[in-house]
DNA sequence: TTGTACGCGTTATCAT
DNA sequence: ATGATAACGCGTACAA
């Protein structure tokens, strides 16, 4: 009947068993005292003792001493009750957590229920109180948001939609290869009337998707019907639904739709289902994100952003501790490519 | 240019500013030394000083001293590359994390990439090394898995599919209200040939869903066609797809399908789409889980398990520290009800 | 109310 | 060349 937690071995236990001091245990296990500082025999005794006791240093004690919690804050771009409504920031968090573990780090996701919390400094306070070692921001909206953390002296990494006005490392995505492949795929199937549903506003990242779309068509000599470009406010299912309804109501109805986000595509799917438009027979549909596109009915061709890669790169940057000192030079953003995967949702025009 | 992290206030700083000892700062801020133990003026001085300095106790130092990390391990039933394939254990983790924060606790999700890791004790080691204060297990598969943690002296809470052979607190779901309402809804629409797609095997929780389904029909005097009950191995999309194809191939094709899981329903949706069977015109579909059912095309009527409530209850149990001592009596599981929400996926038979 | 030991590992200083 | 001693990080708990 294990009432109290079975006491776990401490460095003291190991030291006693090996007949050495605690300092030596620490040195050996961390490789701090390299080969020449400690005799091979002693070294082995320590290792054996540690193994025998199943010793693992107390992470809190270590963190306290090293002034490094090994926890990094992650601020997703949006949070809602149901994560399925915001797949990208959400899945990004999952991948960050996984990558962090690989490096002995941990992610603390700071969810702002209200957008107000973003500005109020509530989140800064939250993460600061927990002594995070740094912060990963997904598409921060305001300069202040980023600077709050920098002012506090924390390393910051921006993902996906970095504010270039703030000099931090950033990891971004190149929409071109994926979108180009997607459009060329549709063109090859004979489509000429291809619609675009995406986000308006002036953020370069969102505009870039439209630009890639445009460029691919222009390159093929296709003239884009202005009515076929539908810009909405946000990546929400309802927006995709309404935009698609609008497209279906046009006299010049498109034969294919590029939806710039999985949930935009989901909304499109709902509208098409209601209107009894069959995919791919009556209309072809391609999405961006490729998070759950493959699981829909029908499975959608989609352009994937390498969220796993983004996460790994971000953690990698944080894991090799911030540059010793002078290297404050505005770092060049790391750009990762997108990739298109065709599925059953496209067919001949 | 904030090179080094702006030093954060310590209890020492507060003590100095308030002209008292660190012990008193701790006592006042934790309410340990309640009103009668410290003079109101001093008390106020401490509070003022803490507020002025924006003091928040270092969580690592506190945890180290109190021998309590405030971190709890969560072992989801399944983990894959894409969390959207296993919505329940996944969303449970999200809700656990959220509820934990509310109580000043944290969740560490231990994902076993391989099922082998579950038995090997690798996960126990992982969590033990991180000094978790307890463990939340979602539908553990083997008794050993649970006992490993109990042997180590950690409090364990089992969710959804507890192993009753191990005496731990548990939180379970009552499928009856939701499934009964769903079937009665279909009956009221005139359906008599209602199919069931669910999990076989001998786990009582999975069987219970079928039993509730059966009972509701029997109560209405409906005879169930044995061909209409399809049992599959796991809650996977592909299984729902194949089972539905089988159902569509029957000479006595059902007019409605109850899919015992959102991704079973998703598979059904794919099969129905391929076969060009319209919902709800040609066939009615109801799912279990209600995680993303509302977002599909068409939105599915679904039975919801209160994952948020489950999470809150679990955290609640852990937050009020384990029973002082003797109260080892096998605790009664906490049972929470399901709820049915009709949507556009059902219609007259 | 205060002093002091403590939790546990790391790091800088000291001793052979 | 090898290893030990002691201080430290920060807050809490108990005795004084």
């Amino acid at each position: 009947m294990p009432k109290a937690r079975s006491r776990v071995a401490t460095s003291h236990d190991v030291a006693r068993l090996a007949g050495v001091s605690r300092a030596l245990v620490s040195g050996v296990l961390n490789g701090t005292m390299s080969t020449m500082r400690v005799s091979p025999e002693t070294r082995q005794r320590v290792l054996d003792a540690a193994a025998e006791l199943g010793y693992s240093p107390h992470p809190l004690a270590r963190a306290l001493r090293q002034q490094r919690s090994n926890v990094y804050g992650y601020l997703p771009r949006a949070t809602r009750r149901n994560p399925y409504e915001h797949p990208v920031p959400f899945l990004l968090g999952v991948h960050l957590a996984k990558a962090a573990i690989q490096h002995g780090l941990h992610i603390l996701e700071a969810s702002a229920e209200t957008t107000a919390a973003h500005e109020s400094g509530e989140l800064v306070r939250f993460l600061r109180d927990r002594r995070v070692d740094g912060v990963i921001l997904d598409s921060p909206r305001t300069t202040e948001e980023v600077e709050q953390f920098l002012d506090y002296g924390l390393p910051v990494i921006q993902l996906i939609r970095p504010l270039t006005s703030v000099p931090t490392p950033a990891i971004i995505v190149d929409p071109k290869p994926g979108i180009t492949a997607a459009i060329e795929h549709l063109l090859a199937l004979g489509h000429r009337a291809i619609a675009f549903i995406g986000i308006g506003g002036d953020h370069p990242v969102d505009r870039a998707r439209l630009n890639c779309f445009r460029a691919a068509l222009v390159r093929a000599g296709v003239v884009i019907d202005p009515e076929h470009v539908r810009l909405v406010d946000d990546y929400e299912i309802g927006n995709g639904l309404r935009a698609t309804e609008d497209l279906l109501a046009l006299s010049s109805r498109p034969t294919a739709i590029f939806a710039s986000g999985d949930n935009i595509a989901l909304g499109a799917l709902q509208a098409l289902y209601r209107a009894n438009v069959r995919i791919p027979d009556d209309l072809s549909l391609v999405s961006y994100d490729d998070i759950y596109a493959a699981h829909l009915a029908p499975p959608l061709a989609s352009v994937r952003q390498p969220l796993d890669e983004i996460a790994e790169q971000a953690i990698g940057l944080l894991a090799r501790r911030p540059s010793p000192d002078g290297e404050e030079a505005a770092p060049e953003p790391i750009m990762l490519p997108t990739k298109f995967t065709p599925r059953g949702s496209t067919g001949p025009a």
Side-chain angles (χ1 to χ4, degrees), chain A:
Chain A
M1 59 175 66
K3 187 74 265 162
R5 184 183 314 188
S6 0
R7 211 179 68 80
V8 92
T10 71
S11 71
H12 186 264
D13 299 322
V14 177
R16 200 150 32 93
L17 182 58
V20 300
S21 70
R22 289 156 58 214
L24 199 56
V25 172
S26 174
V28 167
L29 265 52
N30 293 317
T32 307
M33 297 179 166
S34 51
T35 325
M36 63 226 73
R37 297 267 311 132
V38 57
S39 79
E41 309 86 64
T42 316
R43 181 183 153 72
Q44 195 55 49
R45 276 217 315 284
V46 171
L47 291 176
D48 289 346
E52 182 176 336
L53 297 176
Y55 171 71
S56 182
H58 195 307
L60 299 180
R62 161 183 283 182
L64 178 62
R65 179 64 236 242
Q66 301 187 145
Q67 297 287 67
R68 185 193 318 162
S69 65
N70 291 323
V71 175
Y72 289 83
Y74 167 56
L75 266 72
R77 189 167 71 99
T79 312
R80 291 286 165 80
R81 326 105 246 167
N82 189 328
Y84 289 79
E85 294 175 16
H86 290 281
V88 174
F90 187 57
L91 197 51
L92 208 42
V94 172
H95 281 126
L96 283 169
K98 191 171 298 183
I101 292 286
Q102 237 77 31
H103 290 259
L105 307 175
H106 295 276
I107 293 294
L108 176 58
E109 190 165 326
S111 58
E113 297 302 325
T114 60
T115 43
H118 267 294
E119 285 95 41
S120 70
E122 189 183 307
L123 291 178
V124 183
R125 184 64 200 236
F126 176 84
L127 293 175
R128 181 190 163 120
D129 285 351
R130 280 161 187 75
R131 308 302 196 273
V132 296
D133 290 338
V135 179
I136 299 169
L137 302 177
D138 166 26
S139 309
R141 299 190 191 280
T142 66
T143 309
E144 295 76 44
E145 201 180 324
V146 187
E147 283 171 344
Q148 280 178 316
F149 293 106
L150 290 175
D151 289 348
Y152 174 44
L154 288 180
V156 171
I157 293 185
Q158 300 186 71
L159 305 184
I160 306 204
R161 292 174 186 77
L163 296 174
T164 49
S165 53
V166 193
T168 80
I171 301 169
I172 59 180
V173 166
D174 180 10
K176 193 170 178 190
I179 293 182
T180 302
I183 300 305
E184 286 177 351
H185 171 77
L186 290 174
L187 287 169
L189 286 169
H191 292 277
R192 290 298 175 272
I194 306 177
F196 178 94
I197 308 177
I199 305 303
D202 53 355
H203 199 289
V205 165
D206 300 306
R207 299 200 79 85
R209 297 188 192 170
L210 177 53
N211 290 340
C212 291
F213 169 86
R214 279 221 159 88
L217 287 175
V218 167
R219 218 175 298 132
V222 175
V223 179
I224 302 171
D225 182 342
E227 290 280 14
H228 285 177
V229 175
R230 320 298 300 196
L231 298 181
V232 298
D233 288 341
D234 200 352
Y235 291 98
E236 286 186 0
I237 297 177
N239 287 332
L241 194 155
R242 281 182 292 278
T244 304
E245 284 176 341
D246 292 346
L247 287 172
L248 293 179
L250 292 177
S251 55
S252 62
R253 184 190 273 199
T255 64
I257 296 178
F258 178 89
S260 183
D262 262 6
N263 27 16
I264 297 283
L266 196 43
L269 224 46
Q270 292 182 357
L272 295 170
Y273 196 86
R274 283 190 199 172
N276 204 1
V277 176
R278 294 281 300 176
I279 300 171
D281 314 77
D282 305 330
L283 190 142
S284 291
L285 181 59
V286 174
S287 83
Y288 192 90
D289 281 352
D290 201 3
I291 290 179
Y292 54 75
H295 302 319
L296 298 175
L300 301 184
S302 191
V303 175
R304 176 175 306 220
Q305 306 187 85
L307 300 185
D308 47 356
E309 256 289 312
I310 294 173
E312 280 164 26
Q313 296 270 1
I315 298 297
L317 286 178
L318 293 171
R320 48 177 172 287
R321 311 291 305 141
S323 52
D325 212 338
E327 203 177 335
E328 278 288 1
E332 208 55 30
I334 298 174
M335 181 150 72
L336 302 173
T338 48
K339 186 174 181 304
F340 172 67
T341 302
R343 295 197 183 90
S345 68
T346 60

